[in-house]
Amino acid sequence: MMTSVGSEAQGWAARLELEVVRDGERSRLARRSHFGPLRIQRPFYPEGDSPVHVYLLHPPGGMVGGDQLESVVKVRARASLLVTTPAAQKLYRSLGQTSLQTQLLSVEADGSLEWFPCETLVFDGARARVNTRVELAGDATFIGWDLGCFGRPASDLGFSRGELRQGFEIFRAGEPLIVDRSHVTGNCETLSAAWGYAGEPVYGTLYCVAGKAADLDALAREVRALLGAGSVRAAVTSFDGTLVVRALGREVERVRAALVAAWRVARPCLLGRQALPPRIWAT
């Protein structure tokens, strides 16, 4: 049930469910359901029959205390899907309540999901939990990122109050592959320490999980060389059929550009497709 508009005491509640199937040579959206302010634009095919591209829409453009958003995305066997958003998600200052955003993603056998929501902007005083869980079949492929910014560095505004709890979990065949969690409060040591965000307001992590055999050590070396001369701090790790790229910087555009550059190299290796950036990224 959707709660009343504009009341932080109650907040928005919204849910979106998508299911993509393989139909011959084409991946298509077989089912969608929603309530509240979560929508998608009409699916389209800039790369031929597969993957299908989908833009997620959150018309309010941000969350306040008490809001609850849930997205459930299912990619069935042999289907391929790329998801992005047209704008940043904003976590606004809360009067005390916590907002909750949950994203449940699953990919069946020989399927693939590319998950690229725009950045999350964590405003000073925000209180939020953001959880993403990815469930992969044994030979499913996933490439996705987590990108965000604390405060508003362009206006010289930091994150001095509030709380953000985040989780990004990837499971393969029911076994945990990656479990990333963070807990940040206003002006906490995690924001400034070298073992945390090192004083950089913008963070980004790209996760690449191969469904089939791939030389990820060689891929890691290529990505590391590509990002080594860039303007962001970056680290690249490969393990157990997985490549992880982490980046920190002062500007969202530069951190995003680093992750996109890594995706351009990783996509042909993992999916056998040249990287074709969604058109919305150029606007």
Side-chain angles (χ1 to χ4, degrees):
M1 179 176 179
M2 186 175 69
T3 54
S4 61
V5 179
S7 172
E8 180 166 307
Q10 295 177 306
W12 284 106
R15 179 181 171 90
L16 173 70
E17 294 188 39
L18 304 176
E19 182 179 357
V20 172
V21 302
R22 181 71 172 237
D23 187 357
E25 296 301 314
R26 192 175 183 85
S27 295
R28 66 176 178 86
L29 186 63
R31 186 176 70 88
R32 74 180 86 178
S33 65
H34 66 84
F35 69 83
L38 280 176
R39 301 285 193 277
I40 64 168
Q41 289 185 347
R42 185 182 67 178
F44 60 104
Y45 294 86
E47 303 184 64
D49 288 335
S50 199
V52 56
H53 286 220
V54 170
Y55 292 173
L56 299 186
L57 307 176
H58 180 223
M63 300 177 67
V64 298
D67 285 357
Q68 297 185 45
L69 304 182
E70 183 176 26
S71 299
V72 179
V73 177
K74 299 178 181 179
V75 180
R76 297 303 188 184
R78 300 178 56 245
S80 297
L81 170 65
L82 185 149
V83 178
T84 189
T85 60
Q89 175 69 288
K90 302 177 182 66
L91 303 179
Y92 291 117
R93 178 176 62 87
S94 170
L95 299 179
Q97 286 194 305
T98 298
S99 61
L100 175 62
Q101 183 171 14
T102 304
Q103 296 159 152
L104 305 174
L105 317 175
S106 63
V107 189
E108 293 185 355
D110 201 24
S112 68
L113 172 61
E114 294 172 273
W115 178 257
F116 301 128
C118 288
E119 64 273 7
T120 297
L121 304 180
V122 188
F123 283 50
D124 190 34
R127 300 185 64 85
R129 295 188 178 188
V130 181
N131 297 312
T132 302
R133 183 180 175 103
V134 184
E135 295 275 3
L136 302 176
D139 61 351
T141 300
F142 175 78
I143 307 177
W145 68 34
D146 176 29
L147 178 62
C149 176
F150 291 105
R152 299 167 62 190
S155 301
D156 201 27
L157 297 175
F159 186 65
S160 61
R161 299 169 297 157
E163 178 183 48
L164 176 66
R165 292 181 181 266
Q166 285 185 293
F168 204 112
E169 303 174 345
I170 302 178
F171 286 73
R172 182 182 289 288
E175 296 294 327
L177 186 60
I178 293 175
V179 178
D180 274 354
R181 292 179 181 147
S182 67
H183 179 204
V184 174
T185 57
N187 285 338
C188 69
E189 186 181 5
T190 305
L191 290 170
S192 58
W195 48 260
Y197 295 93
E200 303 286 11
V202 182
Y203 62 89
T205 305
L206 178 71
Y207 304 94
C208 304
V209 183
K212 298 179 175 61
D215 189 348
L216 294 190
D217 289 340
L219 178 60
R221 290 192 293 270
E222 185 176 357
V223 173
R224 197 174 291 120
L226 178 68
L227 301 183
S231 58
V232 301
R233 304 185 186 195
V236 184
T237 307
S238 61
F239 60 94
D240 296 336
T242 302
L243 180 81
V244 178
V245 181
R246 302 186 189 275
L248 296 170
R250 300 294 302 173
E251 300 175 10
V252 168
E253 293 77 11
R254 292 183 183 274
V255 173
R256 185 196 302 118
L259 300 189
V260 171
W263 169 70
R264 285 180 179 273
V265 175
R267 194 190 207 216
C269 178
L270 272 62
L271 293 174
R273 306 185 189 113
Q274 294 302 308
L276 180 65
R279 288 174 293 178
I280 197 72
W281 291 359
T283 61

